[in-house]
Amino acid sequence: MQPVILKMLGIGRLISLVDVVVNGNRVDGLSMIVRSDVVREVSLKTVQDIAKLMPREQYKIIIQCMIGGKVQARAEVTPFRKDVTKDLYGGDKTRGMKLLARQREGKRKLKDKAVVRIPKAVFRRI
């Protein structure tokens, strides 16, 4: 239900529609209707549970619970990080800086193209 419908029914202040957003995309299957007095606690628990269940990727995954456009809770799934400077020893630092910059650029491109797949286990447990 949309907030407008809830207000028309006279229960707009009692309950809120909480949307779960993963990397900027709303996930309808995880949206829920929650009592307004416990929105913060439920949102925080939901986000933390999803973050625990999501597999790690090569890029950072941001999970948020929102009401309207306002973020109620947020969690991040940290990315894998390959140690690109492990083979370098001594010498000039610029080579290591170049390798780290290349890794950063590659991860940025990967994040732009990537689609986050949410496992079915997340839907079952939430």
Side-chain angles (χ1 to χ4, degrees), residues 18-31 50 54 59-66 68 71 110-118 123:
V18 178
D19 293 320
V20 176
V21 179
V22 178
N23 268 10
N25 299 323
R26 195 172 113 204
V27 181
D28 292 329
L30 295 175
S31 295
I50 293 172
M54 289 286 289
Y59 49 89
K60 181 171 34 176
I61 299 173
I62 300 171
I63 304 163
Q64 297 173 323
C65 275
M66 301 178 85
V71 177
L110 181 66
K111 185 177 179 185
D112 290 342
K113 294 179 190 176
V115 176
V116 177
R117 305 233 185 260
I118 301 172
F123 289 100

Side-chain angles (χ1 to χ4, degrees), residues 40 64-67 69-74:
R40 185 84 174 140
Q64 297 173 323
C65 275
M66 301 178 85
I67 296 178
K70 188 175 177 187
V71 177
Q72 297 297 315
R74 175 190 164 112

Side-chain angles (χ1 to χ4, degrees), residues 11-62:
I11 56 174
R13 290 190 199 130
L14 301 176
I15 60 174
S16 300
L17 177 67
V18 178
D19 293 320
V20 176
V21 179
V22 178
N23 268 10
N25 299 323
R26 195 172 113 204
V27 181
D28 292 329
L30 295 175
S31 295
M32 58 193 138
I33 296 176
V34 181
R35 284 192 355 236
S36 293
D37 57 340
V38 293
V39 166
R40 185 84 174 140
E41 294 83 16
V42 171
S43 297
L44 195 58
K45 185 179 180 322
T46 302
V47 163
Q48 289 171 347
D49 290 345
I50 293 172
K52 275 191 249 175
L53 296 171
M54 289 286 289
R56 289 174 67 188
E57 298 285 343
Q58 292 290 328
Y59 49 89
K60 181 171 34 176
I61 299 173
I62 300 171

